[in-house]
Amino acid sequence: MALKQVVKLIAVTIFSCIYSTLVFISLFFRPKWLIGGFFKKSKSDHPPKCLSDPSLGTHGYIHLEEVRLHYVAAGTEGKPLMLLVHGFPEFWYSWRYQLREFSKEFRVVAIDQRGYGDSDKPSGVSSYKIDKLCQDLKQLIPALGYRDCVLVGHDWGGAVVFNFANKHPEMVKKLIVLNAPHGAVMLKELMTSYKQFFMSWYMFFFQMPYLPEFLLQHNCCSSLNAMFRDMDKKPLKNCTEEDLEAYKYTFSKKGNGFTGPLNYYRAAMRGDLDKRMFTPIEVPTLIIWGVKDVALNKNLPELSKKYIKDCTIKYVEEATHWVQMDAYEDTNKHIWDFVKA
């Protein structure tokens, strides 16, 4: 193992232990949540009706070389493909407002990435390396009957589609990224920006085994209540109680859980640096950014332009990290303007 890799592993381990210790200590100040969670019965034993809403599209599965992916598709087959790739901790349903909107002119397909929802969940951290996530998309597009697509990603999905567009530009007509920085920028900011470093505390905490899974799953996935809130800790706009139950149901289903999703972060921290990420992206790119993001700094989109030859940025001032939900009208408008240009 190279010296740089050893130093990196040691640094990640140290910060993981520090943040895990702080999280563990914080549990003693939440005894009701901690103890009560062992006895609380889930309300999410049956799928909420919103998950089978026919206006969102039809459900399907597609077999790739390593995994079977679940997807929801809307719009007439044969129309141009718009492929939607979700982030953490999400699944296809995060794109409900885009499935309805863009099916007018596109064949819109929202996937559950590997490790999520009803898609396969391969074991091992190495199964979630960025190369494997990109390989899924490379196989998926022709399996759906297309050569290329308008590719849209949010959060971790944004990281995946940035990487995919870099490696396979011929398969991407236009790239749209929501609240996710370019990988090279995120790497640099974690090493040079104290603000972003502390905003990204959870990335280091997620490196620990078992404890992150326990906390996210505990008390009937009540952690999702906290995640899907704005900066004032109020429920997200356009995210109803039923919507929230859909997330809890999906992550609490037997065989689901959070290990696969957490392995995205673990694989990213442990993987070797791919120097191709520093090659500018050739595909026309739109970045939509919810300014009230508590995990990602507002300067990241502008810094990302250095690695994108043709980049448009649209800020949504009142939106959070979950911009495709809580500001879906603005988001959809920006997407329409970009794809029709």
Side-chain angles (χ1 to χ4, degrees):
M1 187 182 292
L3 180 59
K4 285 185 178 180
Q5 190 70 8
V6 172
V7 172
K8 175 186 173 183
L9 185 61
I10 292 173
V12 169
T13 302
I14 290 172
F15 287 115
S16 298
C17 291
I18 291 172
Y19 283 122
S20 297
T21 301
L22 293 173
V23 170
F24 187 75
I25 292 172
S26 73
L27 295 179
F28 291 99
F29 296 93
R30 303 178 66 191
K32 184 177 180 181
W33 178 87
L34 181 61
I35 298 171
F38 290 108
F39 304 100
K40 187 174 181 180
K41 187 177 181 181
S42 175
K43 298 178 182 178
S44 306
D45 294 332
H46 302 286
K49 291 182 180 180
C50 60
L51 291 180
S52 56
D53 183 347
S55 71
L56 294 176
T58 57
H59 294 252
Y61 292 88
I62 200 152
H63 291 264
L64 308 179
E65 289 181 8
E66 291 187 358
V67 292
R68 184 186 73 159
L69 295 187
H70 169 256
Y71 66 89
V72 173
T76 307
E77 291 188 49
K79 290 181 178 180
L81 175 64
M82 177 180 284
L83 184 59
L84 309 176
V85 187
H86 67 80
F88 174 92
E90 302 176 87
F91 64 117
W92 70 266
Y93 188 68
S94 287
W95 299 109
R96 55 195 177 277
Y97 295 110
Q98 287 69 47
L99 280 162
R100 292 190 183 102
E101 177 70 17
F102 294 100
S103 59
K104 302 166 188 175
E105 294 189 20
F106 290 90
R107 175 68 168 173
V108 188
V109 175
I111 65 170
D112 286 338
Q113 291 206 78
R114 63 164 65 196
Y116 283 88
D118 291 327
S119 289
D120 284 349
K121 299 161 186 66
S123 61
V125 172
S126 62
S127 296
Y128 298 89
K129 289 182 177 180
I130 194 76
D131 283 348
K132 288 186 177 290
L133 306 177
C134 288
Q135 193 65 22
D136 288 346
L137 298 187
K138 185 182 179 183
Q139 295 169 20
L140 175 65
I141 293 169
L144 291 170
Y146 292 86
R147 294 182 179 179
D148 54 29
C149 67
V150 172
L151 187 58
V152 188
H154 169 252
D155 183 76
W156 249 108
V160 173
V161 301
F162 264 136
N163 199 284
F164 182 82
N166 191 306
K167 294 177 178 177
H168 307 289
E170 73 285 355
M171 300 183 76
V172 184
K173 287 182 179 178
K174 290 191 175 184
L175 180 67
I176 302 169
V177 180
L178 286 61
N179 279 71
H182 188 279
V185 170
M186 191 64 186
L187 178 64
K188 182 179 179 181
E189 288 297 289
L190 281 174
M191 295 188 296
T192 60
S193 168
Y194 286 115
K195 182 177 181 179
Q196 186 57 58
F197 179 82
F198 287 115
M199 290 174 81
S200 301
W201 67 272
Y202 60 92
M203 294 185 183
F204 296 96
F205 171 59
F206 287 169
Q207 302 306 307
M208 296 300 290
Y210 308 121
L211 183 58
E213 280 93 336
F214 168 74
L215 292 179
L216 290 168
Q217 201 81 40
H218 190 60
N219 204 13
C220 302
C221 296
S222 65
S223 58
L224 295 174
N225 291 336
M227 290 186 187
F228 292 106
R229 290 182 178 271
D230 62 20
M231 294 178 76
D232 298 321
K233 298 184 179 180
K234 295 178 181 178
L236 286 183
K237 297 176 184 177
N238 308 311
C239 186
T240 67
E241 193 64 34
E242 185 183 29
D243 292 333
L244 194 55
E245 285 303 313
Y247 286 88
K248 292 180 180 179
Y249 168 78
T250 298
F251 282 99
S252 62
K253 273 201 308 185
K254 185 176 180 181
N256 279 11
F258 288 92
T259 297
L262 289 168
N263 280 342
Y264 281 55
Y265 292 94
R266 293 162 179 161
M269 287 285 193
R270 301 175 196 181
D272 296 326
L273 181 65
D274 185 353
K275 293 183 179 179
R276 283 180 295 181
M277 76 160 63
F278 299 102
T279 304
I281 290 174
E282 302 279 348
V283 178
T285 301
L286 169 66
I287 299 176
I288 301 174
W289 200 267
V291 173
K292 293 186 176 181
D293 193 323
V294 298
L296 296 169
N297 206 351
K298 184 182 177 180
N299 67 336
L300 296 177
E302 194 64 35
L303 294 174
S304 295
K305 289 178 73 173
K306 176 182 177 181
Y307 301 97
I308 307 167
K309 289 192 173 181
D310 180 1
C311 182
T312 302
I313 300 174
K314 295 293 182 181
Y315 293 99
V316 184
E317 293 295 332
E318 296 304 314
T320 67
H321 180 74
W322 320 101
V323 64
Q324 80 275 35
M325 290 188 278
D326 67 351
Y328 72 88
E329 291 177 331
D330 288 336
T331 298
N332 291 351
K333 180 182 183 303
H334 292 318
I335 293 175
W336 274 126
D337 291 344
F338 182 67
V339 297
K340 289 184 174 182

Coordinates of all heavy atoms in Angstrom, one line a residue, residues 84-88 90 95 113 130 134 137 151-165 175-183 264 281 285-287 289 321:
L84 N -33.0 9.7 -14.2 CA -32.9 10.3 -13.0 C -32.2 9.4 -11.9 O -32.6 8.3 -11.7 CB -34.3 10.7 -12.5 CG -35.2 11.4 -13.5 CD1 -36.6 11.6 -12.9 CD2 -34.6 12.8 -13.8
V85 N -31.1 10.0 -11.3 CA -30.3 9.2 -10.4 C -30.3 9.9 -9.0 O -29.8 11.0 -8.8 CB -28.9 9.1 -10.9 CG1 -28.1 8.1 -10.0 CG2 -28.9 8.6 -12.3
H86 N -30.9 9.2 -8.0 CA -31.1 9.8 -6.7 C -29.8 9.8 -5.8 O -28.8 9.2 -6.2 CB -32.2 9.0 -5.9 CG -31.8 7.6 -5.6 ND1 -31.0 7.3 -4.5 CD2 -32.1 6.5 -6.2 CE1 -30.8 6.0 -4.5 NE2 -31.4 5.5 -5.5
G87 N -29.9 10.4 -4.6 CA -28.8 10.5 -3.7 C -29.1 9.8 -2.4 O -29.9 8.8 -2.4
F88 N -28.5 10.2 -1.3 CA -28.6 9.6 0.0 C -29.5 10.5 0.9 O -29.2 11.8 0.9 CB -27.2 9.4 0.6 CG -27.2 8.9 2.0 CD1 -27.2 7.6 2.3 CD2 -27.3 9.8 3.1 CE1 -27.2 7.1 3.6 CE2 -27.3 9.4 4.4 CZ -27.3 8.1 4.7
E90 N -32.2 8.3 -0.2 CA -33.4 8.4 -1.0 C -33.6 7.2 -1.9 O -33.0 6.1 -1.7 CB -33.2 9.6 -2.0 CG -32.9 10.9 -1.2 CD -32.7 12.1 -2.2 OE1 -33.6 12.7 -2.6 OE2 -31.5 12.4 -2.5
W95 N -37.9 11.7 -7.1 CA -38.1 12.3 -8.3 C -39.6 12.4 -8.7 O -39.9 12.6 -9.9 CB -37.4 11.6 -9.4 CG -35.9 11.5 -9.2 CD1 -35.1 10.5 -8.9 CD2 -35.0 12.6 -9.4 NE1 -33.8 10.8 -8.8 CE2 -33.7 12.1 -9.1 CE3 -35.1 14.0 -9.7 CZ2 -32.5 12.9 -9.1 CZ3 -34.0 14.8 -9.7 CH2 -32.7 14.2 -9.5
Q113 N -30.7 3.2 -7.2 CA -29.3 2.8 -7.4 C -29.1 1.5 -6.6 O -29.8 1.1 -5.7 CB -28.4 3.9 -6.9 CG -28.4 5.1 -7.7 CD -27.1 5.9 -7.7 OE1 -26.1 5.5 -8.3 NE2 -27.1 6.9 -6.9
I130 N -17.2 4.1 -7.1 CA -17.8 4.9 -8.2 C -17.7 4.3 -9.6 O -18.6 4.5 -10.4 CB -17.1 6.3 -8.2 CG1 -17.9 7.3 -9.0 CG2 -15.7 6.2 -8.7 CD1 -19.1 7.8 -8.3
C134 N -20.9 3.8 -12.0 CA -21.0 4.3 -13.4 C -21.2 3.2 -14.4 O -21.9 3.3 -15.4 CB -19.6 5.0 -13.7 SG -19.5 6.6 -12.9
L137 N -24.8 2.5 -14.9 CA -25.5 3.4 -15.9 C -25.1 3.1 -17.3 O -25.9 3.2 -18.2 CB -25.1 4.9 -15.5 CG -25.5 5.4 -14.2 CD1 -25.2 6.9 -14.1 CD2 -27.0 5.2 -13.9
L151 N -29.1 13.3 -18.6 CA -28.8 12.6 -17.3 C -28.9 13.6 -16.2 O -28.3 14.7 -16.2 CB -27.3 12.1 -17.4 CG -26.8 11.2 -16.3 CD1 -27.8 10.0 -16.1 CD2 -25.4 10.7 -16.6
V152 N -29.7 13.2 -15.2 CA -29.9 14.1 -14.0 C -29.6 13.4 -12.7 O -30.0 12.2 -12.5 CB -31.4 14.5 -14.0 CG1 -31.7 15.5 -12.9 CG2 -31.9 15.0 -15.4
G153 N -28.8 14.0 -11.9 CA -28.4 13.4 -10.6 C -28.5 14.4 -9.4 O -28.2 15.6 -9.6
H154 N -28.8 13.9 -8.3 CA -28.9 14.7 -7.1 C -28.1 14.1 -6.0 O -28.0 12.9 -5.8 CB -30.4 14.8 -6.6 CG -30.5 15.4 -5.2 ND1 -30.8 14.7 -4.1 CD2 -30.3 16.7 -4.8 CE1 -30.9 15.4 -3.0 NE2 -30.6 16.7 -3.4
D155 N -27.3 14.9 -5.2 CA -26.5 14.5 -4.1 C -25.6 13.4 -4.6 O -24.8 13.6 -5.5 CB -27.5 14.0 -3.0 CG -26.8 13.5 -1.7 OD1 -26.3 14.4 -1.0 OD2 -26.7 12.3 -1.5
W156 N -25.6 12.2 -4.0 CA -24.7 11.1 -4.5 C -24.9 10.8 -5.9 O -24.0 10.4 -6.7 CB -24.9 9.9 -3.6 CG -23.6 9.6 -2.8 CD1 -23.5 9.8 -1.4 CD2 -22.4 9.2 -3.2 NE1 -22.2 9.5 -1.0 CE2 -21.5 9.1 -2.1 CE3 -21.8 8.9 -4.5 CZ2 -20.2 8.7 -2.2 CZ3 -20.5 8.5 -4.6 CH2 -19.7 8.4 -3.5
G157 N -26.2 10.9 -6.3 CA -26.5 10.7 -7.8 C -25.7 11.7 -8.6 O -25.3 11.4 -9.7
G158 N -25.6 12.9 -8.1 CA -24.8 14.0 -8.8 C -23.4 13.6 -8.9 O -22.7 13.8 -10.0
A159 N -22.8 13.0 -7.9 CA -21.4 12.6 -7.9 C -21.2 11.5 -9.0 O -20.2 11.5 -9.7 CB -21.0 12.1 -6.5
V160 N -22.2 10.6 -9.0 CA -22.1 9.5 -10.0 C -22.2 10.0 -11.4 O -21.4 9.7 -12.3 CB -23.2 8.5 -9.7 CG1 -23.3 7.4 -10.8 CG2 -23.0 7.8 -8.4
V161 N -23.2 10.9 -11.7 CA -23.4 11.4 -13.1 C -22.2 12.3 -13.5 O -21.9 12.3 -14.7 CB -24.8 12.1 -13.3 CG1 -25.9 11.1 -12.9 CG2 -24.9 13.4 -12.5
F162 N -21.7 13.1 -12.6 CA -20.5 13.9 -13.0 C -19.4 12.9 -13.5 O -18.7 13.1 -14.5 CB -19.9 14.6 -11.7 CG -20.4 16.1 -11.7 CD1 -20.8 16.6 -10.4 CD2 -20.3 16.9 -12.8 CE1 -21.2 17.9 -10.3 CE2 -20.7 18.2 -12.7 CZ -21.2 18.7 -11.5
N163 N -19.2 11.9 -12.7 CA -18.1 10.9 -13.1 C -18.4 10.2 -14.4 O -17.6 10.0 -15.2 CB -18.0 9.9 -11.9 CG -16.7 9.1 -12.0 OD1 -16.5 8.2 -12.8 ND2 -15.8 9.5 -11.1
F164 N -19.7 9.8 -14.6 CA -20.1 9.1 -15.8 C -20.0 10.0 -17.0 O -19.5 9.5 -18.1 CB -21.6 8.7 -15.6 CG -22.1 7.9 -16.8 CD1 -21.9 6.6 -16.9 CD2 -22.9 8.6 -17.8 CE1 -22.3 5.9 -18.0 CE2 -23.3 7.9 -18.9 CZ -23.1 6.5 -19.0
A165 N -20.4 11.3 -16.9 CA -20.2 12.2 -18.1 C -18.8 12.4 -18.4 O -18.5 12.6 -19.6 CB -20.9 13.5 -17.7
L175 N -26.2 17.2 -19.2 CA -26.0 16.8 -17.8 C -26.6 17.8 -16.9 O -26.4 19.0 -17.0 CB -24.5 16.7 -17.5 CG -24.1 16.2 -16.1 CD1 -24.6 14.8 -15.8 CD2 -22.6 16.3 -15.9
I176 N -27.4 17.4 -15.9 CA -28.1 18.2 -14.9 C -27.8 17.7 -13.5 O -28.0 16.5 -13.2 CB -29.6 18.3 -15.2 CG1 -29.9 18.8 -16.6 CG2 -30.3 19.2 -14.1 CD1 -31.3 18.7 -17.0
V177 N -27.2 18.5 -12.7 CA -26.8 18.1 -11.4 C -27.4 19.0 -10.3 O -27.3 20.2 -10.4 CB -25.2 18.2 -11.2 CG1 -24.8 17.7 -9.8 CG2 -24.6 17.3 -12.3
L178 N -28.0 18.4 -9.3 CA -28.7 19.1 -8.2 C -28.0 18.9 -6.9 O -27.8 17.8 -6.4 CB -30.1 18.6 -8.1 CG -31.2 19.0 -9.1 CD1 -30.8 18.5 -10.5 CD2 -32.6 18.5 -8.7
N179 N -27.5 20.0 -6.3 CA -26.9 20.0 -5.0 C -25.8 18.9 -4.9 O -25.9 18.1 -4.0 CB -27.9 20.0 -3.9 CG -28.5 21.4 -3.6 OD1 -29.2 21.9 -4.5 ND2 -28.1 22.0 -2.5
A180 N -24.9 18.9 -5.8 CA -23.7 18.0 -5.7 C -22.6 18.7 -6.4 O -22.7 19.2 -7.6 CB -24.0 16.7 -6.4
P181 N -21.4 18.9 -5.8 CA -20.3 19.5 -6.4 C -19.5 18.5 -7.3 O -19.7 17.3 -7.1 CB -19.4 19.9 -5.2 CG -19.7 18.9 -4.2 CD -21.2 18.5 -4.4
H182 N -18.7 19.0 -8.1 CA -17.8 18.2 -8.9 C -16.8 17.5 -7.9 O -16.4 18.1 -6.9 CB -17.0 19.0 -9.9 CG -16.2 18.2 -10.8 ND1 -14.9 17.7 -10.5 CD2 -16.4 17.8 -12.1 CE1 -14.4 17.1 -11.5 NE2 -15.3 17.1 -12.5
G183 N -16.5 16.2 -8.2 CA -15.7 15.4 -7.3 C -14.3 16.1 -6.9 O -13.9 16.0 -5.8
Y264 N -21.5 3.7 0.1 CA -21.1 4.7 -0.9 C -20.0 5.6 -0.3 O -19.0 5.9 -0.9 CB -22.3 5.5 -1.4 CG -23.2 4.9 -2.4 CD1 -23.8 3.7 -2.1 CD2 -23.5 5.6 -3.5 CE1 -24.7 3.1 -3.1 CE2 -24.4 5.0 -4.5 CZ -25.0 3.8 -4.2 OH -25.8 3.3 -5.1
I281 N -15.1 18.3 -18.0 CA -16.3 17.6 -18.6 C -16.7 18.4 -19.9 O -16.8 19.6 -19.9 CB -17.5 17.6 -17.6 CG1 -17.1 16.6 -16.5 CG2 -18.8 17.2 -18.3 CD1 -18.2 16.6 -15.4
T285 N -23.6 21.4 -19.2 CA -24.0 21.0 -17.8 C -24.8 22.1 -17.1 O -24.4 23.3 -17.2 CB -22.7 20.7 -17.0 OG1 -22.0 19.6 -17.6 CG2 -23.1 20.3 -15.6
L286 N -25.8 21.7 -16.5 CA -26.6 22.7 -15.6 C -26.5 22.2 -14.2 O -26.7 21.1 -13.9 CB -28.1 22.7 -16.0 CG -29.0 23.4 -15.1 CD1 -28.8 24.9 -15.0 CD2 -30.5 23.1 -15.5
I287 N -26.1 23.1 -13.3 CA -26.1 22.9 -11.9 C -27.2 23.7 -11.2 O -27.2 24.9 -11.4 CB -24.7 23.3 -11.2 CG1 -23.6 22.4 -11.8 CG2 -24.8 23.1 -9.7 CD1 -22.2 22.8 -11.3
W289 N -28.9 24.7 -7.6 CA -28.3 24.6 -6.2 C -29.3 25.3 -5.2 O -29.6 26.5 -5.3 CB -27.0 25.4 -6.1 CG -26.2 25.0 -4.9 CD1 -26.2 25.6 -3.7 CD2 -25.3 23.9 -4.8 NE1 -25.3 25.0 -2.9 CE2 -24.8 23.9 -3.5 CE3 -24.9 22.9 -5.7 CZ2 -23.8 23.0 -3.1 CZ3 -23.9 22.0 -5.2 CH2 -23.4 22.0 -3.9
H321 N -31.2 21.4 0.6 CA -30.5 20.4 -0.2 C -31.4 19.6 -1.1 O -31.0 19.1 -2.1 CB -29.8 19.4 0.8 CG -29.0 18.3 0.2 ND1 -27.8 18.5 -0.4 CD2 -29.3 17.0 0.1 CE1 -27.3 17.4 -0.8 NE2 -28.2 16.4 -0.5

